[in-house]
Amino acid sequence: MQIVNTGLSALQASQAALATVSNNIANANTDGYHRQQVHFASRAPLQIGNDLVGRGVDVSRINQVRDGVLEQALTRNTSGLSFVSTQLETLQSIEALLAPVDGSLNDRLEAFFNSIEQLSARPGEPVLRSAVLNAASDLAGGLSSAWEGLSRIQTSLQQQMRDAVDTVNALTQRLTIVSEEIRIAEAAGSEPNDLRDQRDQLVNQLAAYVDVVTWEWAGQPDTLSFASGGVLVGRAAPEISVASGTAGAVEIRLAGSHSPLTIGEGRLGGLLAAHNEIVAGFQERLEEFTQALVSSVDSVHATGLGVDAAHTLVQSTRAVVDMTVPLASAGVDFPIAAGELSIAVWDETTGNRTLHRIAIDPAIDSLQDVASKVSAIDHLQATVDPTTGTLTIASEGGYRFDFTSNLTSQPDASGITGTARPQVSGVFRGESNDSFTFTALSSGMIGTSTGLQVEVRDAAGTLVTLFDVGAGYEAGTPLDLGNGVSVSLSTGDLNAGDSFETRMIADPDETGILPALGLLPFFSGSGPADIAVATGLLDRPGQLATSLTGLAGDGGNISRLLRLRDSLLVGDPPTSLSAHMMESTALVGIEINSARSSAASLERLGTELHNQRESVSGVDPNEEFVRLLQYQQSFQAAARVISAWDESLDDLFLILR
């Protein structure tokens, strides 16, 4: 009977091999299927007398033909490609916002400055004033639209993250079930190859969403981890969720935890990076650009004059959180620096203009302190509304005030012992604030005495110029100091050492408090979410501050606005507004090209890895047909052995009968 058992073992082994080959052929086109291979082992021999007689063959195992290193490389490639592709989708959406075919932000910015340039030729033209305001409104609308678009992209990314998290949780749940089935099968001594294929498919599906690392160890087969090794999937299926982080960021957390997970690559990692880094980065650039635009334009506008010349009442449009704390911590929209604020008071009766300077230190002074300093100026009263956190400045009847760089018309003559009186006119065109001191070098009569000279020195004591106001000078004739400033002396006499001082104002607001508080603003709001042209200007275009002197035809402040086009106002190192916007547009293009290049490289690598995997684990029908014939012949031979033994037994029974 041993012959029958030996033949039967061969028959069963061949049958198992045929079944394996048939399964391979059936799954030749099944994605992720690993070709299975039968391994045979000879049975232990039977000792008969002094001889060892073979007992046949067994199927020792049926294993998958797979390269573990190659499989892990494919899994990593899946994560990387999904990560880059997700970021590319976001970048393309941002590009559509920042660089549309028509009406890009840079085009609108250029149109705004072009309208200012056109107004500079005819400052009093109402139509051109309205054109400036309309161009500004168009620019503000473009910034708001871009901000809203970026916000919509973030909202969409958040929803996509929630969907991705649901998919990840479903996949880890299924992986847990399959891993448990594999564990049970292995415990029973089986080779669960088809279950392993299912598991590999699930792992690669999961890898499309998160980084995945797989390994096997005793007692816990087919365990995997994601989130930088922080989440294990084996006999348990941990759940993850989307949570709000700090500063508008989004986090992925393990259920019951308050700490964020580092997802790495995959679609979920790409969505996180797109939301927290890519979109947030362009939002930061847009915010930076808008704040530089608003603060710089508002600063120039507040220090100019409209058709109504000086003001009788001004109220701030940007509030502080607390009027009693130092301005540095009062929640102002724009930073305030330590320095001086120049305020001029006009006497409507005499036309005299007196210039006053108040020192402001944001580390010490509160808004209430600033109000007190303004109120200390004759004919001005400043109050703070504790409910709204806004500042109001008002002048007494018969007086007006402004924040322009105009000079004091009649300097303080207390240092002159003679009868001559000085008068200063013009607008200082210097680059920084200064103070000029005029001193008589000798005594004599204006316009009469020979050699009567007055020297002019700046705040550093450097000689600016020397004037001869004696014989040959006509009293009251303006003498050019340069930088747009003139001085004249009336008839009378000067004594040696007589002097007077005049403050030269290039920047009336060294502190930036005017735009920070929104005093006489061009724009309302402070960022891309709420920027708009100030309502008062839209209603009354004549209030557009085109002038520095208030005189008809004066466009001095328009020139200052136009200089902002090329000023280095934004970024670190600082660039112009236009350059910064072009950099943003160029940056998204560069990142898109980089993402496309990375995606193309990963796709090529994925194709190469897939081909390598197919060469190792794929099913070649021709090879399987050869094996099929081989095992068929083995099966037939084993059947013939059993048949021959059966015939021998029949002959033996006939003899014994």
Side-chain angles (χ1 to χ4, degrees):
M1 296 301 295
Q2 181 58 38
I3 296 176
V4 175
N5 289 335
T6 301
L8 184 60
S9 72
L11 194 67
Q12 291 172 335
S14 298
Q15 188 177 28
L18 285 169
T20 301
V21 171
S22 298
N23 189 48
N24 286 339
I25 294 173
N27 287 282
N29 296 314
T30 301
D31 187 32
Y33 178 80
H34 295 83
R35 178 168 56 88
Q36 296 181 21
Q37 189 176 51
V38 179
H39 292 267
F40 301 104
S42 178
R43 289 180 176 179
L46 176 67
Q47 185 168 356
I48 301 177
N50 293 325
D51 298 320
L52 293 175
V53 180
R55 299 175 56 239
V57 64
D58 282 325
V59 174
S60 61
R61 60 191 176 93
I62 301 175
N63 71 295
Q64 292 176 308
V65 180
R66 67 196 305 272
D67 184 332
V69 174
L70 188 58
E71 295 293 335
Q72 289 185 352
L74 271 167
T75 299
R76 288 193 299 271
N77 179 264
T78 299
S79 294
L81 180 58
S82 184
F83 178 81
V84 172
S85 299
T86 301
Q87 290 185 319
L88 179 59
E89 294 171 4
T90 301
L91 287 167
Q92 289 171 332
S93 298
I94 295 174
E95 183 182 41
L97 287 174
L98 299 184
V101 177
D102 297 315
S104 69
L105 288 175
N106 210 54
D107 291 340
R108 298 185 190 204
L109 178 66
E110 191 62 22
F112 171 59
F113 282 117
N114 287 342
S115 67
I116 295 175
E117 187 173 11
Q118 292 170 4
L119 179 61
S120 65
R122 291 182 290 169
E125 179 60 52
V127 174
L128 295 179
R129 285 174 173 267
S130 296
V132 170
L133 297 175
N134 290 335
S137 292
D138 188 48
L139 174 58
L143 290 169
S144 295
S145 296
W147 182 264
E148 290 172 3
L150 291 173
S151 298
R152 285 195 299 271
I153 291 174
Q154 281 196 320
T155 300
S156 174
L157 290 170
Q158 291 170 12
Q159 182 57 52
Q160 292 179 64
M161 274 187 269
R162 287 189 284 269
D163 294 341
V165 162
D166 290 341
T167 301
V168 169
N169 287 334
L171 287 171
T172 54
Q173 180 67 37
R174 179 59 185 154
L175 273 165
T176 300
I177 295 173
V178 173
S179 295
E180 180 63 14
E181 291 174 348
I182 291 173
R183 186 188 68 80
I184 293 172
E186 288 184 337
S190 301
E191 289 287 347
N193 294 324
D194 292 328
L195 288 174
R196 289 185 180 279
D197 281 340
Q198 290 183 35
R199 172 190 171 278
D200 288 344
Q201 286 288 81
L202 290 170
V203 166
N204 285 325
Q205 290 176 33
L206 183 62
Y209 289 89
V210 293
D211 267 339
V212 173
V213 178
T214 62
W215 70 89
E216 298 181 15
W217 57 1
Q220 295 190 41
D222 302 311
T223 301
L224 64 92
S225 72
F226 65 88
S228 297
V231 180
L232 298 179
V233 181
R235 297 190 182 184
E239 287 194 356
I240 58 175
S241 62
V242 180
S244 298
T246 58
V250 172
E251 299 175 348
I252 304 300
R253 297 177 184 172
L254 196 61
S257 172
H258 297 289
S259 299
L261 292 172
T262 303
I263 296 300
E265 296 188 339
R267 179 167 178 78
L268 186 54
L271 291 170
L272 270 175
H275 183 283
N276 295 342
E277 298 172 19
I278 295 177
V279 178
F282 282 100
Q283 282 180 324
E284 183 178 350
R285 290 185 66 86
L286 192 62
E287 184 88 33
E288 187 178 41
F289 171 89
T290 307
Q291 289 191 345
L293 172 71
V294 172
S295 62
S296 59
V297 172
D298 276 15
S299 179
V300 173
H301 190 264
T303 52
L305 296 171
V307 294
D308 294 339
H311 317 285
T312 58
L313 179 70
V314 171
Q315 185 174 20
S316 65
T317 58
R318 299 186 180 109
V320 299
V321 176
D322 190 333
M323 66 181 220
T324 62
V325 301
L327 291 168
S329 54
V332 292
D333 290 330
F334 304 119
I336 298 175
E340 291 184 339
L341 172 65
S342 299
I343 305 177
V345 179
W346 294 76
D347 187 328
E348 293 183 306
T349 302
T350 64
N352 288 336
R353 183 178 191 273
T354 56
L355 184 64
H356 305 270
R357 304 188 306 273
I358 60 173
I360 298 173
D361 186 346
I364 299 173
D365 295 321
S366 67
L367 185 60
Q368 186 63 62
D369 294 331
V370 173
S372 298
K373 292 182 180 183
V374 173
S375 297
I377 299 174
D378 289 342
H379 314 299
L380 292 185
Q381 181 64 43
T383 58
V384 178
D385 187 332
T387 303
T388 61
T390 56
L391 174 71
T392 300
I393 303 176
S395 60
E396 295 178 2
Y399 291 89
R400 289 176 176 268
F401 65 95
D402 64 55
F403 305 101
T404 69
S405 57
N406 291 323
L407 304 173
T408 298
S409 56
Q410 294 182 340
D412 182 6
S414 60
I416 300 177
T417 60
T419 58
R421 289 294 176 264
Q423 187 167 5
V424 180
S425 60
V427 177
F428 183 57
R429 307 295 186 187
E431 295 183 356
S432 59
N433 293 351
D434 207 339
S435 179
F436 285 4
T437 301
F438 300 76
T439 305
L441 299 181
S442 59
S443 301
M445 294 294 295
I446 300 296
T448 302
S449 301
T450 301
L452 180 59
Q453 292 183 320
V454 174
E455 70 171 14
V456 184
R457 294 184 179 273
D458 61 19
T462 303
L463 181 65
V464 176
T465 189
L466 190 66
F467 290 128
D468 192 331
V469 294
Y473 171 73
E474 183 179 351
T477 301
L479 299 168
D480 187 14
L481 281 169
N483 285 325
V485 179
S486 298
V487 63
S488 63
L489 289 166
S490 68
T491 56
D493 63 341
L494 287 176
N495 296 316
D498 284 355
S499 68
F500 65 92
E501 181 183 355
T502 294
R503 180 72 172 174
M504 302 294 172
I505 303 299
D507 182 6
D509 180 16
E510 297 176 331
T511 68
I513 194 171
L514 296 180
L517 297 181
L519 289 164
L520 302 170
F522 183 94
F523 288 108
S524 62
S526 59
D530 58 359
I531 182 176
V533 174
T535 304
L537 286 179
L538 291 174
D539 295 340
R540 294 186 296 168
Q543 295 302 310
L544 179 60
T546 58
S547 169
L548 288 175
T549 63
L551 300 176
D554 175 29
N557 212 40
I558 301 177
S559 299
R560 295 175 67 218
L561 284 170
L562 196 56
R563 284 199 295 271
L564 295 178
R565 169 186 267 169
D566 300 316
S567 298
L568 306 180
L569 301 171
V570 55
D572 185 18
T575 62
S576 67
L577 292 167
S578 179
H580 187 272
M581 184 53 65
M582 287 190 291
E583 283 177 6
S584 296
T585 305
L587 180 60
V588 70
I590 291 171
E591 292 191 4
I592 284 175
N593 289 336
S594 177
R596 282 175 176 163
S597 177
S598 297
S601 297
L602 288 169
E603 285 176 352
R604 289 192 297 270
L605 176 60
T607 299
E608 182 179 344
L609 290 172
H610 179 76
N611 291 338
Q612 291 180 19
R613 176 188 176 279
E614 285 300 303
S615 68
V616 173
S617 304
V619 176
D620 183 345
N622 293 324
E623 292 181 0
E624 296 303 316
F625 287 143
V626 171
R627 294 188 182 93
L628 182 65
L629 292 174
Q630 175 186 345
Y631 296 139
Q632 182 183 15
Q633 290 172 356
S634 296
F635 185 89
Q636 290 172 345
R640 181 59 186 145
V641 168
I642 295 175
S643 176
W645 178 244
D646 182 61
E647 291 174 0
S648 298
L649 287 177
D650 288 341
D651 292 340
L652 178 60
F653 289 147
L654 287 174
I655 293 171
L656 295 175
R657 191 185 304 171

